[in-house]
Amino acid sequence: MENPSPNAPESAPRRLVDTYGRWLHYLRISLTDRCNLRCIYCMPSGGLPMLRHEDILTLEEQARMAKVAVNLGVNKIRLTGGEPLLRRGVATLLKDIDRLTPRPDLRITTNGLLLERHIDLLESCRVSTLNISLDTLRPEKYGNITGVGQTAGEKLFAKVKRGIDLALETGAFQVKINVVALSGINQDEILDFARLTLKAPLAVRFIEYMPVGRHKPFQPRHFLSTEDILAVLADLGPFEELPTGPGDGPARRFKVPGSPGELGVISALSSHFCAACNRLRLTADGRLAPCLFSEKTVDVKAVLRANPTDEDLAQALLKATREKPAKHHQVPNQTIAAGCPMSRLGG
Ligand SMILES: Nc1nc2c(ncn2[C@@H]2O[C@H](COP(=O)(O)OP(=O)(O)OP(=O)(O)O)[C@@H](O)[C@H]2O)c(=O)[nH]1
Ligand SMILES: C[S@@+](CC[C@H](N)C(=O)[O-])C[C@H]1O[C@@H](n2cnc3c(N)ncnc32)[C@H](O)[C@@H]1O
Ligand code: SF4
Ligand code: SF4
């Protein structure tokens, strides 16, 4: 679909179509850079310098961006972070997005620690999918991976587990478990994670570790490629690949015949899925990132704070769309990470 020229009649629907003909209809909003964990691949152990309160978009600004994006054809919105459920007043934003017309598919990516507290809210706002990040099934390891130490880790692991069980019990959500696959850290748990799909209706997705955020040197020795992951999964027995549709996420999907759940691999680096990219990102500090690895962003916060019309904001979204690269140029063996910290960007 082509973008109409600026002189097109007001009624002509505009879409975010980039220079390479990709329709961007998926907006990921990072609600906050705050987090209650310090995952080893995401943050330094002491955490990152926090954004100043006034530099983080307000919930009203985030809701307005969601509305303008939906008017430009965005039909899928994911709330992420930092930890999105830590954002004070998150209920207001969820309700505002739930009331949008046309209503986008609303999803959230969370570390699961606050799921118990928020599950009713997420259900009442018709969140369709909960992506829950969990990198180990061993309580004694959780604290090391998430940087909270072993004693706290065991308690927090139990909390995440209760959150996942509750999410499944409600039956209201698609539940996806995101596992960053790391050599020497959780490679030995890949099969245990995969076996969860034999018992429960959830998707377990193994994600390649990515060099994102200059604050955190990339450790190539921990990188596991999709090929490595699939080689481990071969011990599970036969599984079949499932088709993916145009609106689906970046995961290649698999299923052990007869099992209630499914497996996924997200080959963010080794065999990227940029040709089918459909997403824009709004960072916690109000920048539109054309790509996960973008160095160049569009400062929409400045626009939001200059008494803009909706058209001004639409123009910022269109500008970010025009600046979207064809693909990323990261390779698994480099140590330098690019772009904005994951916790501001939202993954
Ligand atoms: N390189 C790259 N990696 C991505 C992109 N989107 C997601 N990922 C990676 O895949 C992980 C999982 O993404 P999620 O936040 O669960 O969302 P998703 O895969 O878009 O979600 P679904 O629509 O539910 O499949 C992210 O944390 C990133 O590590 C992308 O556009 N580019
Ligand atoms: C930045 S977190 C934000 C949401 C929430 N705090 C969580 O962890 O689900 C979003 C996703 O990014 C992933 N992530 C963070 N750093 C990553 C990295 N360097 N490589 C690959 N995935 C990463 C996390 O595992 C998580 O699934
Ligand atoms: S991956 Fe998510 S939970 Fe872990 S430190 Fe980053 S933002 Fe926090
Ligand atoms: S790396 Fe950039 S272009 Fe490629 S899929 Fe991710 S966001 Fe899209």
Side-chain angles (χ1 to χ4, degrees):
M1 196 183 305
E2 298 250 322
N3 255 350
S5 78
N7 298 327
E10 287 276 276
S11 59
R14 275 190 304 179
R15 294 284 182 268
L16 300 168
V17 179
D18 76 3
T19 331
Y20 306 94
R22 294 169 299 190
W23 176 29
L24 312 185
H25 54 87
Y26 176 8
L27 179 67
R28 300 171 65 103
I29 306 179
S30 173
L31 300 196
T32 175
D33 62 330
R34 283 14 178 206
C35 192
N36 38 14
L37 296 179
R38 301 280 178 269
C39 301
I40 44 171
Y41 47 77
C42 180
M43 288 222 196
S45 53
L48 277 165
M50 291 287 109
L51 292 169
R52 294 181 310 173
H53 181 69
E54 59 269 33
D55 288 333
I56 299 177
L57 289 193
T58 64
L59 293 162
E60 293 74 23
E61 288 169 333
Q62 288 164 340
R64 189 160 177 209
M65 287 308 295
K67 183 188 89 175
V68 173
V70 163
N71 287 338
L72 286 170
V74 164
N75 57 20
K76 176 168 167 181
I77 293 183
R78 176 175 298 285
L79 305 185
T80 172
E83 176 46 45
L85 295 178
L86 266 187
R87 177 78 198 246
R88 199 169 299 167
V90 64
T92 317
L93 180 64
L94 281 160
K95 287 176 191 161
D96 284 348
I97 296 178
D98 186 34
R99 279 194 290 262
L100 289 175
T101 317
R103 186 187 178 283
D105 179 353
L106 176 56
R107 303 183 176 201
I108 195 160
T109 300
T110 170
N111 60 29
L113 281 174
L114 297 171
L115 265 181
E116 282 178 291
R117 191 189 300 169
H118 290 293
I119 204 86
D120 292 342
L121 169 73
L122 297 174
E123 187 173 353
S124 70
C125 292
R126 299 180 293 169
V127 169
S128 69
T129 310
L130 301 180
N131 292 13
I132 304 166
S133 306
L134 181 66
D135 302 309
T136 179
L137 293 171
R138 301 193 189 141
E140 70 283 4
K141 245 166 92 176
Y142 184 80
N144 293 335
I145 296 181
T146 59
V148 295
Q150 191 171 333
T151 314
E154 291 188 16
K155 281 202 192 102
L156 296 185
F157 176 86
K159 240 168 129 61
V160 178
K161 172 108 188 2
R162 287 198 302 272
I164 295 172
D165 290 344
L166 195 59
L168 287 169
E169 264 164 42
T170 65
F173 311 99
Q174 229 187 319
V175 177
K176 302 185 183 187
I177 309 295
N178 280 351
V179 185
V180 178
L182 298 162
S183 173
I185 294 182
N186 62 6
Q187 185 171 9
D188 56 337
E189 296 193 60
I190 289 177
L191 282 173
D192 291 341
F193 269 110
R195 287 191 191 104
L196 296 178
T197 72
L198 307 180
K199 292 181 282 188
L202 45 72
V204 171
R205 290 113 52 83
F206 299 100
I207 302 169
E208 283 181 358
Y209 170 42
M210 285 183 285
V212 176
R214 290 197 184 291
H215 63 286
K216 185 84 194 158
F218 184 63
Q219 308 285 340
R221 69 178 189 284
H222 291 312
F223 177 78
L224 270 180
S225 69
T226 294
E227 211 185 326
D228 302 327
I229 297 164
L230 288 173
V232 178
L233 288 174
D235 283 346
L236 199 62
F239 50 85
E240 60 199 28
E241 185 148 7
L242 301 173
T244 42
D248 287 338
R252 270 177 73 195
R253 301 163 57 213
F254 303 91
K255 193 176 183 68
V256 175
S259 63
E262 66 174 67
L263 296 163
V265 286
I266 301 186
S267 52
L269 273 195
S270 67
S271 147
H272 62 70
F273 31 78
C274 303
C277 189
N278 56 11
R279 54 202 65 197
L280 277 180
R281 293 175 165 81
L282 178 59
T283 67
D285 53 344
R287 287 172 294 121
L288 287 164
C291 171
L292 189 77
F293 298 98
S294 284
E295 298 290 347
K296 241 173 90 183
T297 53
V298 173
D299 181 4
V300 77
K301 183 173 67 195
V303 184
L304 276 161
R305 295 187 180 174
N307 195 22
T309 60
D310 282 357
E311 182 56 25
D312 296 329
L313 299 171
Q315 287 303 327
L317 283 158
L318 288 160
K319 184 164 190 273
T321 302
R322 283 194 298 276
E323 290 182 2
K324 194 166 178 72
K327 58 181 182 176
H328 74 71
H329 298 282
Q330 305 297 122
V331 286
N333 59 0
Q334 67 192 6
T335 51
I336 298 176
C340 167
M342 273 292 206
S343 52
R344 285 184 197 165
L345 187 61

